[in-house]
Amino acid sequence: MNPSRLVSVMVENKPGVLNRVASMIRRRGFNIDSLSVGPTEDATVSRMTIAVHVGRQAAEQATKQLAKLIDVITIDDITELRSVSHELMLIRMHAPPEQRAEILDVVTVFLGRIVDIAASSMIIEITGTTQKIDNFVELMRPYGIEELARSGAVALVRGDQAGARLGGLGLDGAAPEGSRTGAGAAGASVTADTTGDI
Amino acid sequence: MIGAHPQPDSAPAPPLETPATAPPRRMTGAQICLESLLREGVDTIFGYPGGANLYLYRWLPDYPNLHHILVRHEQGAAHAADGYARSRRGAVGVCFATSGPGALNLVTGLGTAFMDSVPVIAITGQVPVSAIGTDSFQESDVIGSTMSVVKHSYLLTRVEDIAPTIKEAFHVARSGRPGPVVIDFPKDLQAAVGEFNYPEEPVRMRSFPPPPQPDPNQLREIARIIKEAKRPVILSGRGVLISGAEQELLELSHRAHIPVGWTLLGTGAFPLQDPMALQMVGFMGAGYTNKAVCDADVVIMIGMRCDDRVTTRLDSFAPRVEHLIHIDIDPAEIGKSVVPHLSVVADAKTALSRLLPMVEPKREHEWLTQIDQWKEEHPIHYVRREGFLQPQEVLEAMYSRCKDEAIVVADVGQNQIWAALWFNYAKPGLFLNSGGLGTMGYAFPASMGVKFSNPDRTVFCVTGEGGFMMNMQEMATMVENNIDVKVIILNNASLGMVRQFQDDFYDGVRSAVDLTFTPDFVKLGEAFGMKAMTTRRLEDVGPMLDEALAHKGPVLLNFDIDPDANVYPIVPLGKGMLDFVEAS
């Protein structure tokens, strides 16, 4: 299992917000495993997906401290929720013609794509869970990895109620302990896992 | 300096004549800023000009209702703004500084305000927008440098944002758990012309919702726990004072017979003379308060952080407690050090006023008798020494003259704890100090702000010779503006608290604590034009205080006290709440 906590933070799309969030995590002594920031369906809101390497208790404190930041709109520790958490990797493989077929076999199994090909190398694009990508990297290692880049995880809670829940939870500090991560979340609707994880 | 600036022909009409509903008027960014401050009810600004805020100072003389106090160091401005806000409920302190060194000199003062939840607005000049990031002259990353010591900060980049940002900044500073806010104001924006249109509607921010309402179920549960409690104790913190919940606290204590102790910053939230009163808790708290907390089956913490100065060694805090209840407006304080069994996230006054009707009247005998016995066994006391003036004697003489009328602003160190324990604070808001950050040099500049907020009260600044010298340049500000503060230097010719720690906890090796070499404070005060007196004899204390109080204006009183006077009781470092050492 991944030992880090996955936190989804909706923030105002303003300059300096990333600095505030990262600075708070550093100041409280937490280590970031990965962090991704990007736009959402609302141009004034960005979503940060942060994997922090802490236990549940410490994550709760980190979550509360982040929630206090004025530019943070909502924050959810989604580690224990049913969620889809994916990252993207670009990896340049040493791939002379005699190795290509073998590599392509693995890429096919992992539902990857070849996005660049040169005389003795190629770039492969893979998406999926952190674990899936870790597995792919291990399989590629014997062929010779030239370089790779990973995006860090982005995540969404599964199911029909997830969006409503995020909106309604707000930063309501009155919520009793634990409710920030619970609240019936996505449990009710049955969702199919269509991610094709390996 | 007001009115001293020559008026150019092109000056716009005096701003104050225009009602809020008038059509927008075009003016410079600096004027928009000053207009906005007026709309927020600001009447006093502590500041220091420099290259990057000169447009603000260019227009400041046009605003006679904004009384600007020229401090002699920006740190003094931040502390003065803190004192101004801290000593008047609902007030927000305002300070100005220029870019670079000016802004960076505010940092300690902002950190002080941040730790103690004081609403302060710092407006810092910044280099022009186009020069930001180029390491231009007197440029510093003010937003980055202050990030961890402010509640929020803004970098202005457009003229039309100035008024709404100032309105939002005041809202953020004073709402919920208050705190300092920085507005970084580039020089070119101060000069740029725009329309002044102050937003009329209240600020609504999706990322800063109003504080939550207390959960009635949790309040009912607290009432039930109080009903069944055998040995209950309330601990109150500064949150009670900020929200103005003193009366509700008193009623709760009296209705259910619950003794009340307090944190250093909570001093004054509950009257010391009340039969239900304990005293300060923790590291340097009263022995009987610590005993009560350690024996209690129910502890209700209200408006406090429960930091390490309260708990001493964490596992020694309230070991017999069956129901630890924590009420605080900041959810991040719940469970940060001690994990409560029950918590309510709400403003203290709201929570207590809703809890009160649910609490059944109750008479307690056994527990109160036990506490009275501890009070007799462990009174706070000090030991007199022939030929030496004790600091407590000075404080007692001060109290006997001013009773509950005077405000005491204490610095940091031994003087702080003596001032907390040896003055009978019977009303809220009479004791102020840098309890969280523990900023030496706080008291003297802060007391200037306190006097501006409380012109009708006697204001004492209680400090040591070390802390006083950290910001003593403000004597010039004090004298220039005839700010009527009585400065009490408890001079033990050493960094007393550090010296006490070295004596007791660091093998008795005194290292870098000797302040025998200090200036002659009488001559120093007089050099600044300040009335100043000194003594080392008890019989002089009363007459000196009488003379100082009769004088209208600042007075500096140096008391050479017993150099070996220590703070007691004290819990040795690393020890638990019940290991307190008393004066002997």
Side-chain angles (χ1 to χ4, degrees):
Chain A
M1 281 296 284
N2 192 342
S4 54
R5 311 284 307 180
L6 199 58
V7 181
S8 180
V9 193
M10 307 291 271
V11 299
E12 298 285 352
N13 181 11
K14 288 181 185 168
V17 176
L18 176 61
N19 192 184
R20 289 179 205 277
V21 169
S23 173
M24 176 62 81
I25 292 174
R26 172 199 57 77
R27 187 160 85 86
R28 301 285 166 182
F30 305 123
N31 198 18
I32 297 178
D33 281 348
S34 80
L35 186 154
S36 72
V37 194
T40 63
E41 70 283 2
D42 178 346
T44 66
V45 176
S46 303
R47 182 192 295 275
M48 295 186 185
T49 308
I50 310 172
V52 256
H53 204 83
V54 287
R56 193 199 163 103
Q57 187 98 15
E60 188 178 312
Q61 175 63 208
T63 311
K64 286 172 167 181
Q65 293 294 349
L66 287 174
K68 276 208 288 184
L69 293 177
I70 302 295
D71 286 335
V72 170
I73 304 167
T74 62
I75 178 162
D76 282 275
D77 183 338
I78 60 173
T79 315
E80 281 152 30
L81 299 187
R82 286 167 45 77
S83 63
V84 183
S85 163
H86 277 189
E87 59 177 306
L88 179 144
M89 175 175 70
L90 296 175
I91 181 167
R92 189 200 323 277
M93 292 303 304
H94 175 64
E98 62 273 20
Q99 274 192 15
R100 280 188 195 159
E102 271 185 67
I103 292 174
L104 284 173
D105 280 349
V106 183
V107 171
T108 308
V109 174
F110 276 76
L111 303 177
R113 300 199 296 145
I114 309 299
V115 291
D116 179 68
I117 193 151
S120 63
S121 73
M122 57 187 178
I123 299 177
I124 303 157
E125 176 196 294
I126 296 278
T127 62
T129 63
T130 297
Q131 203 176 0
K132 170 184 168 184
I133 289 175
D134 287 346
N135 291 341
F136 184 80
V137 171
E138 284 314 305
L139 288 170
M140 285 297 108
R141 220 175 273 287
Y143 300 106
I145 298 170
E146 292 187 350
E147 60 179 333
L148 66 82
R150 293 171 70 153
S151 67
V154 294
L156 284 181
V157 174
R158 291 179 191 271
D160 296 340
Q161 296 171 9
R165 188 185 116 275
L166 273 177
L169 199 63
L171 291 187
D172 185 358
E177 306 297 81
S179 71
R180 203 182 285 284
T181 59
S189 64
V190 177
T191 54
D193 190 326
T194 55
T195 54
D197 287 355
I198 299 286
Chain B
M1 65 183 289
I2 286 166
H5 207 289
Q7 292 279 332
D9 295 334
S10 59
L16 279 177
E17 290 173 10
T18 312
T21 50
R25 284 180 298 128
R26 293 183 67 75
M27 55 178 78
T28 64
Q31 290 168 296
I32 292 174
C33 172
L34 297 168
E35 285 282 349
S36 302
L37 293 180
L38 281 177
R39 302 298 171 98
E40 290 298 329
V42 174
D43 55 15
T44 309
I45 298 164
F46 302 91
Y48 208 101
N53 62 359
L54 279 176
Y55 287 108
L56 278 172
Y57 281 91
R58 155 66 185 85
W59 294 108
L60 195 55
D62 285 16
Y63 294 80
N65 288 355
L66 293 174
H67 185 197
H68 181 269
I69 304 299
L70 175 67
V71 294
R72 297 307 194 263
H73 187 293
E74 289 88 351
Q75 185 182 352
H79 289 322
D82 172 320
Y84 180 90
R86 204 187 280 245
S87 59
R88 199 168 81 194
R89 193 170 288 152
V92 178
V94 178
C95 54
F96 281 1
T98 189
S99 64
L104 294 180
N105 278 341
L106 295 176
V107 172
T108 307
L110 293 171
T112 306
F114 181 65
M115 283 289 263
D116 293 349
S117 311
V118 183
V120 168
I121 301 278
I123 299 181
T124 51
Q126 181 55 280
V127 300
V129 173
S130 57
I132 290 177
T134 64
D135 298 324
S136 61
F137 178 65
Q138 289 195 331
E139 183 189 355
S140 70
D141 173 14
V142 176
I143 300 292
S145 309
T146 58
M147 194 168 282
S148 64
V149 292
V150 296
K151 186 172 175 185
H152 197 42
S153 47
Y154 299 89
L155 171 64
L156 293 170
T157 52
R158 302 186 310 168
V159 183
E160 56 269 36
D161 292 342
I162 296 171
T165 300
I166 290 174
K167 179 154 182 149
E168 186 176 300
F170 274 82
H171 171 73
V172 168
R174 59 160 77 100
S175 310
R177 179 179 178 175
V181 175
V182 165
I183 302 172
D184 206 19
F185 195 178
K187 185 177 182 176
D188 51 342
L189 280 196
Q190 297 170 30
V193 173
E195 284 187 353
F196 176 67
N197 209 345
Y198 207 62
E200 297 299 323
E201 62 283 4
V203 176
R204 284 180 56 86
M205 299 163 69
R206 60 182 170 186
S207 55
F208 184 55
Q213 298 299 312
D215 179 343
N217 291 325
Q218 282 164 313
L219 294 178
R220 264 190 293 278
E221 178 64 6
I222 293 174
R224 187 193 64 76
I225 290 168
I226 289 174
K227 184 180 175 185
E228 290 171 9
K230 297 275 183 296
R231 303 178 307 280
V233 168
I234 291 174
L235 292 177
S236 72
R238 192 170 131 69
V240 172
L241 291 160
I242 294 173
S243 71
E246 301 91 358
Q247 190 55 38
E248 288 79 2
L249 175 64
L250 193 69
E251 281 177 35
L252 175 63
S253 163
H254 286 185
R255 179 173 300 183
H257 271 200
I258 310 176
V260 178
W262 47 84
T263 67
L264 178 61
L265 283 167
T267 302
F270 195 83
L272 181 65
Q273 273 83 358
D274 192 276
M276 290 294 157
L278 295 165
Q279 240 290 7
M280 189 164 80
V281 67
F283 184 43
M284 296 171 190
Y288 54 86
T289 313
N290 286 5
K291 282 205 157 184
V293 169
C294 285
D295 208 44
D297 63 344
V298 173
V299 174
I300 307 174
M301 306 189 293
I302 308 171
M304 57 184 272
R305 297 179 293 137
C306 200
D307 81 337
D308 52 305
R309 289 287 146 123
V310 166
T311 61
T312 69
R313 206 184 59 228
L314 195 55
D315 61 11
S316 76
F317 181 76
R320 297 187 66 194
V321 72
E322 288 163 28
H323 297 282
L324 182 63
I325 298 166
H326 196 173
I327 301 174
D328 200 277
I329 197 166
D330 182 354
E333 294 302 345
I334 309 285
K336 191 164 80 177
S337 55
V338 294
V339 180
H341 302 102
L342 186 67
S343 61
V344 176
V345 176
D347 166 78
K349 189 181 179 75
T350 312
L352 289 183
S353 59
R354 297 199 188 160
L355 172 65
L356 267 174
M358 304 175 182
V359 175
E360 290 177 27
K362 191 174 156 189
R363 291 288 160 260
E364 197 68 61
H365 295 291
E366 210 175 316
W367 177 231
L368 295 183
T369 308
Q370 171 66 74
I371 283 175
D372 285 343
Q373 192 185 325
W374 285 330
K375 283 185 183 175
E376 276 174 38
E377 288 169 11
H378 304 285
I380 294 182
H381 65 284
Y382 63 94
V383 180
R384 291 191 167 80
R385 203 150 72 100
E386 184 60 33
F388 291 97
L389 180 61
Q390 300 303 318
Q392 295 91 344
E393 292 170 329
V394 177
L395 288 156
E396 284 171 336
M398 287 159 58
Y399 182 74
S400 70
R401 281 164 177 77
C402 298
K403 303 290 182 195
D404 306 329
E405 181 268 328
I407 298 178
V408 174
V409 189
D411 207 62
V412 165
Q414 290 181 320
N415 64 80
Q416 177 183 28
I417 306 300
W418 287 323
L421 296 179
W422 290 97
F423 219 83
N424 294 334
Y425 301 103
K427 288 191 212 160
L430 300 183
F431 178 65
L432 312 170
N433 76 115
S434 165
L437 196 62
T439 307
M440 273 178 76
Y442 167 79
F444 185 52
S447 63
M448 301 194 299
V450 173
K451 188 65 188 181
F452 275 103
S453 262
N454 300 268
D456 300 329
R457 284 192 188 275
T458 301
V459 175
F460 285 117
C461 162
V462 175
T463 181
E465 74 283 7
F468 177 70
M469 281 195 285
M470 281 197 174
N471 268 320
M472 65 181 181
Q473 75 285 347
E474 299 308 333
M475 277 191 283
T477 316
M478 244 333 146
V479 174
E480 181 194 9
N481 295 281
N482 198 31
I483 304 170
D484 189 355
V485 170
K486 313 306 179 195
V487 182
I488 309 291
I489 300 179
L490 299 175
N491 187 341
N492 56 4
S494 75
L495 294 171
M497 188 69 92
V498 179
R499 193 262 307 143
Q500 182 178 349
F501 277 36
Q502 290 183 344
D503 283 354
D504 293 350
F505 314 134
Y506 292 86
D507 308 324
V509 177
R510 293 190 177 184
S511 175
V513 289
D514 184 8
L515 289 184
T516 312
F517 182 81
T518 43
D520 178 330
F521 284 112
V522 174
K523 282 186 186 164
L524 186 69
E526 285 170 355
F528 278 88
M530 196 158 166
K531 186 178 175 66
M533 294 174 266
T534 184
T535 188
R536 57 178 66 248
R537 301 188 315 164
L538 177 59
E539 54 268 38
D540 296 337
V541 173
M544 262 170 63
L545 285 171
D546 289 335
E547 192 180 338
L549 290 167
H551 179 75
K552 294 278 171 251
V555 183
L556 190 156
L557 299 174
N558 178 69
F559 296 101
D560 288 321
I561 60 164
D562 184 348
D564 291 321
N566 278 348
V567 162
Y568 291 111
I570 186 169
V571 174
L573 295 181
K575 295 292 180 76
M577 285 194 100
L578 295 178
D579 300 322
F580 56 86
V581 177
E582 296 174 274
S584 60

